[in-house]
Amino acid sequence: MGFLTDSTHLHITTWVIALILFFIAATGITKSKAVHMVLRLFYILVLVSGGALFFQWRVNYEYDIKFLLGILLIGMMEMILVRQKKNKPAGLFWALFAIILFATLFYGLKLQMGFDLF
Ligand code: HEM
């Protein structure tokens, strides 16, 4: 499955699109439910592309942290959208989303594959 694991480009593409869809859904620019539906499809693509990198390249525990952070971030996006739909406060989850997003980007860019900024 070289196209999944030869580079991080596919993974990056999937999570960038997921984040854009999340912000479109969260800001309520459109009332369409389709955005949230497509976002859920992209959760799976992010998971598959990230999971493939993980199983191919994991060399230390930092990869486990990256894996966990990625999954938690998806969890936060889903919590925010579902709570908004139910008109419940989502402030706590926005705070967690911001912190976990930062940590996920940091670990992703720190690990050996692809871009290595930190
Ligand atoms: C929306 C959620 C996610 C974001 C924003 C994100 C972000 C990133 C970033 C910035 C990179 C570095 C790419 C590069 O250096 O070229 C990366 C790589 C990676 N991600 Fe994710 N990711 C997410 C979800 C996931 C999930 C769910 C998993 C696991 C199932 C995962 C596993 C990995 C792995 C194993 C790498 C390669 C690490 C390396 O050696 O550079 N990611 N991700």
Side-chain angles (χ1 to χ4, degrees), residues 8 11-12 15 46-47 50-51 53-54 63 66-67 70-71 73-74 77 104-105 108-109 111-115:
T8 52
H11 182 56
I12 295 175
W15 64 253
V46 172
L47 267 168
L53 290 171
F54 178 84
Y63 279 75
K66 173 66 183 62
F67 192 115
I71 288 174
L73 191 62
I74 292 175
M77 293 195 260
T104 310
L105 292 175
L109 296 172
L111 293 175
Q112 284 84 346
M113 284 270 306
F115 301 95

Side-chain angles (χ1 to χ4, degrees), residues 1-10 49 52-53 56-57 113-114:
M1 299 287 260
F3 74 102
L4 283 172
T5 51
D6 285 351
S7 85
T8 52
H9 296 173
L10 190 71
S49 61
L53 290 171
Q56 181 81 22
W57 301 111
M113 284 270 306

